[in-house]
């Protein structure tokens, strides 16, 4: 089927190309016209033959009867899985065959029988879709399923399910208790499990609601290659407000889960972006070597994957901070201040790496290497902007002031990075042959209201940074935290009495209970007050 479809497409393109050449052929060259007309006849005959063959395949193999057979098989598998599920621990011995065939049957019905036969016409179609959604939602994290391959298949099937409007609505129709359980499993800490696929699922529930996140084609590619019809096209956004609401409820109510989930997201973002930066350094060095001017395609693919992961993790952070801002801004929650400091630190690092003039990121983007098409300023800067706008413009006054003070107190903060977003700052440093990046250039993807919020944020941060610079008193080296050398000492550990700033010790305690210096087990942390000088 695929081979014949591809051949039809190939000959249709060739015939169209020949027709255009005939239209352009000068009248003084009848010899060329004759050859072109011969080619036109051959292509037309071949296309006619292939089209008949395609119609025959559709009528005999992808017929209504065959579709009903596959649908019957899907329903048998669903009933078998549901029956096995009720047997408790014996479910672990149910052959994986049933789960695999159920997923493959659904894939076949969705992808192969249209447009001549439509899934919507099948009897009980919506109920079956909901039953399959319930199976995927329940079993993708079922501890009774131990096979790695089948776990991956279930996760991918769920990711595909939430990507299309019809199947997403089926997920929303399953009982609320099952939906909440699914979201709880998706929000479990990312360590010790295939977190990247989980993250894609959360991103798909958000896409369409985020800042400048409503596109079906990558905006920067449409700007550089508007004539290329083969650009990768993304599925049209179909966010789920219902599942977002469940996520907000869970994170708001369960403070421990919220802290561990966000800590793991920030850890993975730190890892993914660091890996990406390391790889583009290697790619840049390889591209500059005169004797071997090529880069390994596998390395390019891994580099692009790390970049896409960084963007998707930023989008999950944007979703979390939009739905449940108190996780970061309500400092009565025990981990809120620490999470906000970690978030500010990572956002500043990303901004500084991506916005520095004539930097590594710029140079690799401008190489336009095949395989790195998705790597560009737009996806990552717009994701960071969405987070900053949420905490610095759309929050209440107290939240905005807290966010601004934490962002500005981070040693990596540079106002120039924020100015870069709107094409301001040191524009003269941009090379003459390359336009300076600016959110203003993407009016098709970023609304006027979103632009105004970024301008408002820049004005606010400019004013705040001036005031912070005027009020900052010089700190002696002895008073600085011996771990980060960025903040003043503000915490003393019990029982060993070693000291650091609160940000360093709080972050350390999320993963380790030993003192930095003497390895004693820390039983408590108290505020440190500098003794008065004699």
């Amino acid at each position: 089927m695929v081979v014949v479809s591809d051949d039809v497409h190939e000959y249709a393109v060739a015939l169209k190309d020949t027709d255009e050449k005939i239209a352009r052929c000068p009248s003084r060259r009848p010899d060329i016209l004759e050859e072109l007309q011969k080619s036109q006849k051959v292509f037309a005959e071949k296309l006619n033959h292939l089209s008949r063959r395609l119609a025959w395949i559709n009528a005999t193999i992808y017929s209504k009867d065959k579709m009903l057979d596959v649908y019957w098989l899907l329903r048998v598998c669903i009933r078998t899985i549901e029956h096995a599920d009720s047997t408790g621990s014996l479910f672990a011995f149910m052959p994986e065959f049933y789960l695999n065939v159920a997923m493959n049957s659904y894939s076949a019905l969705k992808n192969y029988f249209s447009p001549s036969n439509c899934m919507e016409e099948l009897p009980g179609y919506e109920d079956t879709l909901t039953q399959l959604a319930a199976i995927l939602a329940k079993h993708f994290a079922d501890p009774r399923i131990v096979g790695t391959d089948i776990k991956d298949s279930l996760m991918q099937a769920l990711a595909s399910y939430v990507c299309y409007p019809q199947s997403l609505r089926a997920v929303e129709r399953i009982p609320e208790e099952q939906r909440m359980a699914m979201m709880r499993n998706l929000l479990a800490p990312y360590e010790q499990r295939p977190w990247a696929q989980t993250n894609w699922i959360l991103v798909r529930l958000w896409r369409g609601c985020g800042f400048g996140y409503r596109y079906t084609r990558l905006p920067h590619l449409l700007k550089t290659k508007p004539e290329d019809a083969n650009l990768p096209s993304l599925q049209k956004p179909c966010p789920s407000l219902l599942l977002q609401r469940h996520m907000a409820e869970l994170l708001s109510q369960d403070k421990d889960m919220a802290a561990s989930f966000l800590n793991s997201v920030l850890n993975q973002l730190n890892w993914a972006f660091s890996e990406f930066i390391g790889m583009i350094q290697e790619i840049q060095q390889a591209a500059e070597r005169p004797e071997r001017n090529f880069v390994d395609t596998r390395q390019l693919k891994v580099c692009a994957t790390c970049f896409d992961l960084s963007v998707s993790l930023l989008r999950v952070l944007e979703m979390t901070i939009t739905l449940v801002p108190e996780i970061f801004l309500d400092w009565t929650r025990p981990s809120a201040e620490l999470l906000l400091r970690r978030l500010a630190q990572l956002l500043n690092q990303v901004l500084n790496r991506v916005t520095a003039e004539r930097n590594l990121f710029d140079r690799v983007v401008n190489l336009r290497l095949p395989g790195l098409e998705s790597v560009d300023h737009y996806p990552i800067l717009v994701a960071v902007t969405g987070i900053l706008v949420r905490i610095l413009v759309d929050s209440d006054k107290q939240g905005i002031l807290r966010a601004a003070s934490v962002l500005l107190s981070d040693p990596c903060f540079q106002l120039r990075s924020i100015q870069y977003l709107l094409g301001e700052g040191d524009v003269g440093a941009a090379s003459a042959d390359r336009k300076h990046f600016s959110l203003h250039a993407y009016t098709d993807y970023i609304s006027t209201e979103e632009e105004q919020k970024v301008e408002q944020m820049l004005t606010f941060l400019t004013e705040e940074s001036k005031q912070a610079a005027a009020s900052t008193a010089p700190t002696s080296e002895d008073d600085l935290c011996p771990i980060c050398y960025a903040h003043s000492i503000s915490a003393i550990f019990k029982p060993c009495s070693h000291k650091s700033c609160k940000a360093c010790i709080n972050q350390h305690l999320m993963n380790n209970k030993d003192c930095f210096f003497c390895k004693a087990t820390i039983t408590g942390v108290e505020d440190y007050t500098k003794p008065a000088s004699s």
Side-chain angles (χ1 to χ4, degrees):
M1 179 67 171
V2 172
V3 169
V4 177
S5 296
D6 287 349
D7 286 348
V8 167
H9 176 70
E10 201 175 305
Y11 278 102
V13 170
L15 184 61
K16 185 183 175 188
D17 186 43
T18 309
D19 289 343
E20 288 172 358
K21 285 177 180 174
I22 288 172
R24 293 200 308 270
C25 183
S27 55
R28 64 178 184 280
R29 295 302 303 268
D31 51 333
I32 294 178
L33 182 63
E34 187 181 346
E35 289 299 320
L36 286 170
Q37 285 170 339
K38 282 181 186 174
S39 300
Q40 183 188 35
K41 186 180 177 185
V42 170
F43 289 149
E45 285 175 358
K46 190 72 177 171
L47 187 61
N48 187 25
H49 168 71
L50 285 167
S51 300
R52 287 169 184 269
R53 193 168 169 209
L54 194 62
W56 177 84
I57 290 172
N58 262 326
T60 55
I61 300 173
Y62 295 101
S63 65
K64 182 78 173 178
D65 289 344
K66 295 287 193 297
M67 189 179 193
L68 288 168
D69 286 347
V70 175
Y71 185 54
W72 172 85
L73 186 62
L74 171 63
R75 290 197 293 177
V76 167
C77 288
I78 286 173
R79 286 181 64 182
T80 308
I81 294 164
E82 287 176 345
H83 178 65
D85 183 28
S86 65
T87 60
S89 58
L90 286 175
F91 177 78
F93 298 98
M94 186 196 74
E96 293 175 359
F97 167 82
Y98 291 105
L99 284 164
N100 276 322
V101 172
M103 290 184 285
N104 290 336
S105 303
Y106 170 68
S107 174
L109 290 168
K110 182 163 71 76
N111 298 322
Y112 300 140
F113 287 94
S114 62
S116 50
N117 294 302
C118 203
M119 265 183 91
E120 285 82 354
E121 295 168 5
L122 292 166
Y125 156 75
E126 285 202 347
D127 291 341
T128 305
L129 217 56
T130 307
Q131 284 177 295
L132 185 57
I135 286 171
L136 295 175
K138 181 171 185 179
H139 299 307
F140 86 94
D142 192 332
R144 296 174 297 178
I145 296 176
V146 292
T148 309
D149 290 348
I150 196 71
K151 275 185 175 180
D152 285 349
S153 298
L154 284 165
M155 184 73 87
Q156 286 166 11
L158 182 62
S160 172
Y161 230 66
V162 298
C163 199
Y164 298 91
Q166 285 177 323
S167 45
L168 178 61
R169 300 301 162 244
V171 175
E172 292 179 342
R173 285 196 300 270
I174 65 177
E176 184 174 348
E177 185 185 341
Q178 291 182 8
R179 292 197 304 267
M180 294 294 277
M182 177 185 83
M183 291 308 297
R184 188 176 288 280
N185 284 325
L186 289 172
L187 296 174
Y190 277 7
E191 280 82 6
Q192 311 300 322
R193 68 197 183 104
W195 57 270
Q197 292 169 325
T198 306
N199 205 73
W200 292 127
I201 292 172
L202 292 174
V203 166
R204 283 166 174 170
L205 300 178
W206 177 243
R207 201 166 150 259
C209 296
F211 185 95
Y213 203 36
R214 295 171 290 277
Y215 49 80
T216 52
R217 294 281 184 89
L218 292 170
H220 58 276
L221 282 184
L222 283 178
K223 286 187 95 63
T224 54
K225 308 177 190 172
E227 73 292 339
D228 190 349
N230 297 320
L231 289 175
S233 181
L234 306 169
Q235 180 63 27
K236 192 175 179 184
C238 54
S240 170
L241 300 181
L242 176 64
L243 296 176
Q244 286 176 26
R245 195 162 68 243
H246 291 336
M247 177 177 171
E249 286 170 24
L250 287 167
L251 291 176
S252 180
Q253 291 163 9
D254 192 335
K255 294 181 181 180
D256 290 340
M257 183 181 77
S260 55
F261 165 67
L262 282 163
N263 185 47
S264 64
V265 172
L266 291 164
N267 285 344
Q268 302 303 348
L269 175 59
N270 188 28
W271 171 83
F273 191 70
S274 301
E275 284 289 305
F276 167 70
I277 293 297
M279 285 187 173
I280 61 173
Q281 285 172 340
E282 291 176 20
I283 289 167
Q284 170 68 13
Q285 288 163 5
E288 286 177 346
R289 283 201 295 266
E291 73 281 4
R292 273 186 69 203
N293 196 14
F294 69 90
V295 184
D296 179 27
T297 51
R298 183 180 170 280
Q299 188 179 19
L300 291 173
K301 191 173 179 182
V302 174
C303 177
T305 302
C306 284
F307 179 79
D308 292 340
L309 283 172
S310 301
V311 173
S312 75
L313 286 159
L314 284 165
R315 286 297 185 180
V316 167
L317 285 169
E318 180 194 20
M319 170 163 66
T320 308
I321 208 163
T322 303
L323 297 173
V324 204
E326 63 267 24
I327 291 180
F328 292 92
L329 301 176
D330 177 6
W331 286 6
T332 59
R333 293 173 77 108
S335 51
E337 184 180 357
L338 164 67
L339 288 171
L340 185 59
R341 288 192 185 283
R342 286 200 68 194
L343 179 70
Q345 186 183 36
L346 279 166
L347 294 181
N348 282 327
Q349 284 176 12
V350 171
L351 280 172
N352 293 345
R353 292 284 195 174
V354 176
T355 63
E357 288 297 348
R358 299 181 182 281
N359 69 353
L360 182 65
F361 188 85
D362 260 359
R363 291 201 297 273
V364 170
V365 167
N366 290 331
L367 287 173
R368 297 285 171 212
L369 296 169
L372 287 189
E373 289 87 359
S374 65
V375 178
D376 195 88
H377 296 79
Y378 183 91
I380 196 158
L381 287 181
V382 171
V384 170
T385 305
I387 297 171
L388 290 173
V389 164
R390 182 65 188 83
I391 58 176
L392 293 168
V393 178
D394 290 339
S395 295
D396 57 42
K397 190 173 181 183
Q398 187 183 34
I400 290 171
L401 292 173
R402 279 177 180 165
S405 69
V406 168
L407 194 69
L408 294 170
S409 66
D410 185 75
C412 296
F413 175 76
Q414 294 181 18
L415 187 63
R416 179 196 57 75
S417 295
I418 309 293
Q419 292 168 336
Y420 183 98
L421 299 172
L422 293 173
E424 298 176 19
D426 188 13
V427 182
S431 55
D433 61 337
R434 185 178 66 81
K435 287 185 178 178
H436 198 277
F437 176 85
S438 171
L439 294 177
H440 290 314
Y442 292 92
T443 49
D444 290 348
Y445 307 97
I446 297 172
S447 68
T448 311
E449 184 189 359
E450 287 173 334
E451 279 189 62
Q452 288 169 350
K453 285 181 178 179
V454 180
E455 288 168 356
Q456 186 181 334
M457 176 179 77
L458 177 57
T459 307
F460 171 67
L461 283 177
T462 305
E463 192 55 42
E464 287 292 308
S465 58
K466 282 179 189 171
Q467 290 181 15
S471 62
T472 304
T475 308
S476 81
E477 196 170 317
D478 293 341
D479 295 335
L480 285 175
C481 167
I483 303 300
C484 66
Y485 284 97
H487 305 294
S488 298
I489 292 171
S490 54
I492 185 165
F493 318 154
K494 294 294 175 189
C496 62
S497 297
H498 284 115
K499 307 177 195 70
S500 78
C501 67
K502 283 183 183 174
C504 284
I505 187 58
N506 286 344
Q507 184 171 334
H508 178 69
L509 288 175
M510 291 190 91
N511 301 303
N512 195 324
K513 302 298 180 191
D514 296 344
C515 171
F516 292 114
F517 307 99
C518 64
K519 301 301 177 189
T521 301
I522 296 172
T523 57
V525 177
E526 293 181 2
D527 288 351
Y528 169 74
T529 309
K530 185 181 175 185
S533 54
S534 54

